[in-house]
Amino acid sequence: MAPIIVTGASGSMGKVAARQLAQEGVPVILACRNLERGRKVMDEILACVPDAQLELLLLDLESEAGVRSFVQALQGRPLAGIFNNAGTMCRRFSLAADGREKTMTVNFFMPALLTRLLLPQFEPGARIVNMVSLSLKYSTLRLEELSPSEKDFGQIRTYGKSKLALLYWTIALAEHYPQFRVNVSDPGIVDSKMIRMDRWFDPLTDIFFRPFTNSPQKGVRPALAALRAEDSLRYYVGKRSPKIAAKYLRSPLVEQLWDLV
Ligand SMILES: NC(=O)c1ccc[n+]([C@@H]2O[C@H](COP(=O)([O-])OP(=O)(O)OC[C@H]3O[C@@H](n4cnc5c(N)ncnc54)[C@H](OP(=O)(O)O)[C@@H]3O)[C@@H](O)[C@H]2O)c1
Protein backbone atom coordinates (compact mmCIF):
# COMPACT_ATOMS: atom_id res chain seq x y z
CA MET A 1 0.00 0.00 0.00
CA ALA A 2 1.32 3.48 -0.88
CA PRO A 3 1.91 5.87 2.03
CA ILE A 4 0.15 9.08 3.04
CA ILE A 5 2.31 12.05 3.98
CA VAL A 6 1.42 13.97 7.13
CA THR A 7 3.24 17.30 7.34
CA GLY A 8 3.82 18.77 10.77
CA ALA A 9 3.52 15.28 12.24
CA SER A 10 5.43 16.49 15.31
CA GLY A 11 2.61 18.93 16.14
CA SER A 12 -0.58 18.42 18.12
CA MET A 13 -2.97 17.47 15.36
CA GLY A 14 -0.34 16.02 13.02
CA LYS A 15 0.65 13.49 15.65
CA VAL A 16 -2.93 12.38 16.25
CA ALA A 17 -3.56 12.07 12.50
CA ALA A 18 -0.40 10.03 11.96
CA ARG A 19 -1.26 7.70 14.84
CA GLN A 20 -4.84 7.20 13.67
CA LEU A 21 -3.75 6.40 10.12
CA ALA A 22 -1.13 3.98 11.44
CA GLN A 23 -3.79 2.27 13.56
CA GLU A 24 -5.84 1.81 10.39
CA GLY A 25 -2.87 0.06 8.77
CA VAL A 26 -1.98 2.97 6.47
CA PRO A 27 1.75 3.52 5.90
CA VAL A 28 2.61 7.07 6.97
CA ILE A 29 5.44 9.41 6.11
CA LEU A 30 6.00 11.77 9.03
CA ALA A 31 7.21 15.02 7.46
CA CYS A 32 8.84 17.12 10.17
CA ARG A 33 11.14 20.13 10.27
CA ASN A 34 12.77 18.86 13.44
CA LEU A 35 13.85 15.23 13.24
CA GLU A 36 14.33 14.91 16.98
CA ARG A 37 10.72 15.88 17.63
CA GLY A 38 9.65 13.68 14.73
CA ARG A 39 11.57 10.70 16.11
CA LYS A 40 9.85 11.14 19.47
CA VAL A 41 6.45 11.05 17.84
CA MET A 42 7.45 8.03 15.79
CA ASP A 43 8.50 6.19 18.95
CA GLU A 44 5.25 7.15 20.69
CA ILE A 45 3.19 5.79 17.80
CA LEU A 46 5.24 2.59 17.63
CA ALA A 47 4.70 2.11 21.35
CA CYS A 48 0.94 1.86 20.79
CA VAL A 49 0.95 0.49 17.22
CA PRO A 50 4.00 -1.82 17.09
CA ASP A 51 3.43 -2.86 13.47
CA ALA A 52 2.92 0.70 12.22
CA GLN A 53 4.63 1.41 8.90
CA LEU A 54 6.26 4.75 9.56
CA GLU A 55 8.97 6.76 7.89
CA LEU A 56 10.42 10.00 9.12
CA LEU A 57 11.58 12.63 6.63
CA LEU A 58 12.85 16.16 7.01
CA LEU A 59 10.53 18.86 5.64
CA ASP A 60 11.21 22.54 6.17
CA LEU A 61 8.44 24.68 4.75
CA GLU A 62 10.32 27.91 5.23
CA SER A 63 12.23 27.50 1.99
CA GLU A 64 11.77 26.19 -1.50
CA ALA A 65 15.06 24.31 -1.10
CA GLY A 66 13.60 22.48 1.93
CA VAL A 67 10.55 21.45 -0.08
CA ARG A 68 12.59 20.36 -3.08
CA SER A 69 14.93 18.19 -1.03
CA PHE A 70 11.92 16.48 0.59
CA VAL A 71 10.43 15.78 -2.85
CA GLN A 72 13.81 14.55 -4.05
CA ALA A 73 13.94 12.03 -1.19
CA LEU A 74 10.59 10.60 -2.35
CA GLN A 75 11.31 10.65 -6.05
CA GLY A 76 9.44 8.04 -8.08
CA ARG A 77 7.51 6.59 -5.14
CA PRO A 78 3.74 6.21 -5.49
CA LEU A 79 1.76 8.10 -2.86
CA ALA A 80 -1.77 7.57 -1.57
CA GLY A 81 -2.14 11.17 -0.42
CA ILE A 82 -0.96 14.08 1.64
CA PHE A 83 -2.32 15.88 4.67
CA ASN A 84 -0.90 19.39 4.51
CA ASN A 85 -1.23 19.97 8.22
CA ALA A 86 1.93 21.92 9.11
CA GLY A 87 1.32 25.59 9.74
CA THR A 88 2.43 28.60 11.67
CA MET A 89 1.14 31.93 12.93
CA CYS A 90 4.14 34.21 13.32
CA ARG A 91 3.68 36.85 15.96
CA ARG A 92 6.00 39.35 14.31
CA PHE A 93 6.79 40.18 10.70
CA SER A 94 9.70 38.13 9.42
CA LEU A 95 10.98 36.92 6.10
CA ALA A 96 11.50 33.29 5.13
CA ALA A 97 14.60 32.09 3.28
CA ASP A 98 13.19 33.03 -0.13
CA GLY A 99 12.43 36.59 0.91
CA ARG A 100 8.67 36.23 1.35
CA GLU A 101 6.79 36.84 4.59
CA LYS A 102 7.06 33.70 6.76
CA THR A 103 3.44 32.89 7.69
CA MET A 104 2.41 33.16 4.03
CA THR A 105 5.38 31.00 3.01
CA VAL A 106 4.78 28.18 5.51
CA ASN A 107 0.97 28.14 5.28
CA PHE A 108 0.42 28.76 1.59
CA PHE A 109 3.33 28.99 -0.84
CA MET A 110 5.29 25.94 0.30
CA PRO A 111 2.39 23.49 0.85
CA ALA A 112 1.12 24.46 -2.60
CA LEU A 113 4.56 23.99 -4.16
CA LEU A 114 5.08 20.71 -2.30
CA THR A 115 1.74 19.32 -3.49
CA ARG A 116 2.33 20.49 -7.05
CA LEU A 117 5.76 18.84 -7.20
CA LEU A 118 4.34 15.56 -5.88
CA LEU A 119 1.35 15.46 -8.28
CA PRO A 120 2.95 12.97 -10.71
CA GLN A 121 3.43 10.52 -7.84
CA PHE A 122 -0.13 10.50 -6.48
CA GLU A 123 -2.11 7.39 -7.34
CA PRO A 124 -5.53 7.84 -8.98
CA GLY A 125 -8.03 8.54 -6.20
CA ALA A 126 -5.30 9.89 -3.89
CA ARG A 127 -6.51 12.09 -1.04
CA ILE A 128 -5.16 15.62 -0.71
CA VAL A 129 -6.31 17.45 2.41
CA ASN A 130 -5.27 20.99 3.18
CA MET A 131 -5.69 22.34 6.69
CA VAL A 132 -7.43 25.71 6.71
CA SER A 133 -8.94 27.74 9.51
CA LEU A 134 -12.11 29.45 10.60
CA SER A 135 -10.16 32.70 10.31
CA LEU A 136 -10.38 32.62 6.52
CA LYS A 137 -14.11 33.36 6.79
CA TYR A 138 -13.26 36.74 8.27
CA SER A 139 -10.52 37.44 5.73
CA THR A 140 -10.29 39.00 2.33
CA LEU A 141 -7.44 38.68 -0.12
CA ARG A 142 -5.88 40.64 -2.93
CA LEU A 143 -2.95 39.25 -4.90
CA GLU A 144 -0.53 41.86 -3.59
CA GLU A 145 -1.37 40.78 -0.03
CA LEU A 146 0.42 37.47 -0.60
CA SER A 147 3.66 39.29 0.14
CA PRO A 148 2.74 41.70 2.92
CA SER A 149 5.15 44.41 3.96
CA GLU A 150 5.92 44.92 7.63
CA LYS A 151 3.36 47.73 7.71
CA ASP A 152 0.60 45.47 6.33
CA PHE A 153 1.46 42.48 8.50
CA GLY A 154 -0.77 41.40 11.38
CA GLN A 155 -0.42 38.13 13.25
CA ILE A 156 -4.02 37.03 12.85
CA ARG A 157 -4.73 39.08 9.72
CA THR A 158 -1.86 37.54 7.74
CA TYR A 159 -2.63 34.06 9.10
CA GLY A 160 -6.25 34.34 7.91
CA LYS A 161 -5.15 35.53 4.48
CA SER A 162 -2.65 32.65 4.18
CA LYS A 163 -5.41 30.13 4.87
CA LEU A 164 -7.76 31.86 2.43
CA ALA A 165 -5.04 31.67 -0.23
CA LEU A 166 -4.69 27.95 0.51
CA LEU A 167 -8.45 27.49 0.12
CA TYR A 168 -8.46 29.19 -3.32
CA TRP A 169 -5.48 27.16 -4.43
CA THR A 170 -7.12 23.93 -3.23
CA ILE A 171 -10.18 24.71 -5.36
CA ALA A 172 -7.98 25.14 -8.43
CA LEU A 173 -6.18 21.87 -7.66
CA ALA A 174 -9.49 19.99 -7.39
CA GLU A 175 -10.68 21.48 -10.67
CA HIS A 176 -7.45 20.73 -12.56
CA TYR A 177 -7.03 17.21 -11.13
CA PRO A 178 -10.45 15.51 -10.91
CA GLN A 179 -8.69 12.13 -10.57
CA PHE A 180 -7.78 13.05 -6.97
CA ARG A 181 -10.00 13.70 -3.92
CA VAL A 182 -9.08 17.23 -2.91
CA ASN A 183 -10.64 18.85 0.16
CA VAL A 184 -9.99 21.21 3.04
CA SER A 185 -10.47 20.65 6.76
CA ASP A 186 -11.09 23.19 9.50
CA PRO A 187 -10.38 22.00 13.06
CA GLY A 188 -12.17 24.82 14.90
CA ILE A 189 -10.08 26.32 17.68
CA VAL A 190 -7.74 23.72 19.08
CA ASP A 191 -5.73 23.63 22.26
CA SER A 192 -2.24 23.53 20.75
CA LYS A 193 0.89 25.62 21.04
CA MET A 194 -0.28 27.54 17.97
CA ILE A 195 -2.95 29.42 19.90
CA ARG A 196 -0.45 30.57 22.51
CA MET A 197 -0.04 34.21 21.60
CA ASP A 198 3.06 34.92 23.72
CA ARG A 199 1.30 37.91 25.17
CA TRP A 200 0.61 39.10 28.70
CA PHE A 201 -2.95 37.76 28.51
CA ASP A 202 -1.91 34.11 27.91
CA PRO A 203 -2.54 33.09 31.56
CA LEU A 204 -6.02 34.61 31.35
CA THR A 205 -6.85 32.79 28.12
CA ASP A 206 -5.58 29.57 29.74
CA ILE A 207 -8.22 29.99 32.44
CA PHE A 208 -11.16 31.44 30.51
CA PHE A 209 -10.67 30.33 26.92
CA ARG A 210 -8.68 27.08 26.68
CA PRO A 211 -11.35 24.95 28.43
CA PHE A 212 -13.71 25.72 25.54
CA THR A 213 -11.29 24.81 22.75
CA ASN A 214 -11.24 21.48 20.92
CA SER A 215 -8.71 18.84 21.87
CA PRO A 216 -6.28 17.93 19.08
CA GLN A 217 -8.11 14.57 18.86
CA LYS A 218 -11.39 16.34 18.16
CA GLY A 219 -9.86 19.05 15.99
CA VAL A 220 -8.29 16.60 13.60
CA ARG A 221 -11.43 14.50 13.07
CA PRO A 222 -12.66 16.48 10.05
CA ALA A 223 -9.25 16.01 8.41
CA LEU A 224 -9.36 12.26 9.02
CA ALA A 225 -12.81 12.17 7.45
CA ALA A 226 -11.47 14.18 4.50
CA LEU A 227 -8.67 11.62 4.12
CA ARG A 228 -11.41 9.05 3.39
CA ALA A 229 -13.40 11.33 1.07
CA GLU A 230 -14.95 10.00 -2.10
CA ASP A 231 -15.32 13.39 -3.76
CA SER A 232 -13.69 16.83 -3.87
CA LEU A 233 -14.31 20.49 -3.05
CA ARG A 234 -15.74 19.94 0.41
CA TYR A 235 -15.13 21.95 3.56
CA TYR A 236 -14.76 19.45 6.40
CA VAL A 237 -15.64 21.01 9.74
CA GLY A 238 -17.03 19.37 12.87
CA LYS A 239 -19.14 16.44 11.70
CA ARG A 240 -20.15 18.14 8.47
CA SER A 241 -18.63 18.42 5.01
CA PRO A 242 -20.59 20.95 2.95
CA LYS A 243 -19.49 21.90 -0.55
CA ILE A 244 -17.08 24.84 -0.48
CA ALA A 245 -19.18 28.01 -0.73
CA ALA A 246 -19.89 29.33 -4.21
CA LYS A 247 -18.36 32.73 -3.43
CA TYR A 248 -14.96 31.02 -3.13
CA LEU A 249 -15.47 28.66 -6.06
CA ARG A 250 -16.33 31.57 -8.37
CA SER A 251 -13.51 33.88 -7.32
CA PRO A 252 -10.96 34.92 -9.99
CA LEU A 253 -8.32 34.29 -7.33
CA VAL A 254 -8.73 30.55 -7.86
CA GLU A 255 -7.00 30.63 -11.24
CA GLN A 256 -4.74 33.54 -10.37
CA LEU A 257 -3.22 31.66 -7.43
CA TRP A 258 -2.97 28.46 -9.46
CA ASP A 259 -0.87 30.31 -12.04
CA LEU A 260 1.34 31.74 -9.33
CA VAL A 261 2.68 28.60 -7.63
N1 LIG B 1 -4.76 25.31 16.79
C1 LIG B 1 -5.78 25.89 16.22
O1 LIG B 1 -6.67 26.47 16.86
C2 LIG B 1 -5.93 25.84 14.72
C3 LIG B 1 -7.09 26.40 14.15
C4 LIG B 1 -7.24 26.35 12.79
C5 LIG B 1 -6.28 25.76 11.99
N2 LIG B 1 -5.16 25.24 12.57
C6 LIG B 1 -4.15 24.64 11.68
O2 LIG B 1 -3.91 23.31 12.06
C7 LIG B 1 -2.59 22.92 11.67
C8 LIG B 1 -1.89 22.21 12.81
O3 LIG B 1 -1.74 23.12 13.88
P1 LIG B 1 -1.70 22.70 15.41
O4 LIG B 1 -2.78 23.44 16.10
O5 LIG B 1 -1.64 21.21 15.55
O6 LIG B 1 -0.35 23.40 15.86
P2 LIG B 1 1.07 22.84 16.30
O7 LIG B 1 0.94 21.85 17.37
O8 LIG B 1 1.88 24.07 16.53
O9 LIG B 1 1.59 22.08 14.98
C9 LIG B 1 2.10 22.77 13.87
C10 LIG B 1 3.02 21.83 13.13
O10 LIG B 1 3.54 22.51 11.99
C11 LIG B 1 4.95 22.36 11.99
N3 LIG B 1 5.63 23.48 11.35
C12 LIG B 1 5.61 24.77 11.70
N4 LIG B 1 6.43 25.48 10.90
C13 LIG B 1 6.98 24.60 10.03
C14 LIG B 1 7.91 24.70 8.98
N5 LIG B 1 8.49 25.86 8.69
N6 LIG B 1 8.24 23.60 8.28
C15 LIG B 1 7.69 22.40 8.58
N7 LIG B 1 6.81 22.22 9.59
C16 LIG B 1 6.46 23.32 10.29
C17 LIG B 1 5.33 22.30 13.47
O11 LIG B 1 6.63 21.76 13.63
P3 LIG B 1 7.36 21.78 15.06
O12 LIG B 1 6.78 20.62 15.83
O13 LIG B 1 8.79 21.57 14.68
O14 LIG B 1 7.08 23.10 15.70
C18 LIG B 1 4.23 21.39 13.98
O15 LIG B 1 4.55 20.05 13.71
C19 LIG B 1 -1.91 24.20 11.19
O16 LIG B 1 -1.95 24.27 9.79
C20 LIG B 1 -2.79 25.30 11.77
O17 LIG B 1 -2.73 26.48 11.01
C21 LIG B 1 -4.95 25.26 13.92
Side-chain angles (χ1 to χ4, degrees):
M1 197 193 296
I4 288 186
I5 299 168
V6 176
T7 73
S10 54
S12 315
M13 284 188 271
K15 177 164 92 174
V16 178
R19 188 177 53 217
Q20 181 60 38
L21 290 169
Q23 267 161 353
E24 292 168 16
V26 179
V28 182
I29 294 174
L30 310 170
C32 300
R33 66 169 160 176
N34 181 306
L35 290 180
E36 208 177 305
R37 277 198 287 275
R39 168 74 52 195
K40 231 177 115 206
V41 167
M42 196 162 159
D43 290 345
E44 276 177 47
I45 297 175
L46 285 169
C48 53
V49 192
D51 58 349
Q53 296 175 63
L54 304 176
E55 227 176 301
L56 175 62
L57 275 183
L58 184 66
L59 172 65
D60 181 3
L61 292 167
E62 277 182 35
S63 76
E64 191 168 326
V67 169
R68 287 187 185 278
S69 78
F70 177 82
V71 172
Q72 178 73 30
L74 286 174
Q75 214 177 22
R77 285 182 53 187
L79 298 167
I82 185 167
F83 175 26
N84 280 307
N85 160 74
T88 193
M89 183 164 66
C90 298
R91 180 177 171 193
R92 294 201 177 77
F93 177 82
S94 59
L95 296 177
D98 306 325
R100 289 198 191 101
E101 190 281 322
K102 205 187 276 186
T103 299
M104 227 10 128
T105 300
V106 173
N107 293 358
F108 167 58
F109 282 108
M110 292 306 117
L113 176 69
L114 171 65
T115 309
R116 195 184 261 276
L117 292 174
L118 291 173
L119 284 172
Q121 289 167 243
F122 288 123
E123 295 177 328
R127 273 51 181 240
I128 300 172
V129 177
N130 291 338
M131 187 71 120
V132 295
S133 154
L134 174 71
S135 60
L136 70 81
K137 298 196 172 166
Y138 306 97
S139 300
T140 57
L141 185 67
R142 285 176 289 118
L143 272 187
E144 57 272 27
E145 291 175 323
L146 292 171
S147 298
S149 65
E150 186 159 7
K151 173 174 71 65
D152 298 324
F153 174 84
Q155 179 177 10
I156 293 172
R157 185 169 61 237
T158 302
Y159 176 78
K161 288 181 190 294
S162 72
K163 293 294 187 180
L164 182 53
L166 187 62
L167 174 72
Y168 285 131
W169 191 86
T170 308
I171 295 169
L173 175 64
E175 287 171 350
H176 285 267
Y177 286 84
Q179 65 270 44
F180 303 138
R181 310 284 169 257
V182 184
N183 295 288
V184 294
S185 64
D186 170 350
I189 297 175
V190 175
D191 188 1
S192 74
K193 71 177 181 211
M194 176 159 295
I195 64 164
R196 180 159 289 281
M197 306 294 271
D198 294 326
R199 304 264 175 93
W200 61 268
F201 49 76
D202 269 351
L204 294 177
T205 53
D206 280 350
I207 297 168
F208 295 111
F209 183 58
R210 252 172 217 272
F212 302 102
T213 56
N214 286 336
S215 65
Q217 287 75 7
K218 187 169 178 190
V220 83
R221 265 180 223 152
L224 289 166
L227 284 166
R228 295 181 206 107
E230 286 306 325
D231 60 358
S232 289
L233 291 172
R234 291 191 178 273
Y235 190 102
Y236 282 77
V237 59
K239 292 183 175 159
R240 300 180 310 117
S241 54
K243 275 275 175 199
I244 294 172
K247 69 172 179 176
Y248 300 117
L249 297 174
R250 284 199 300 259
S251 168
L253 282 163
V254 169
E255 279 309 308
Q256 287 166 353
L257 292 192
W258 181 251
D259 291 340
L260 211 69
V261 182

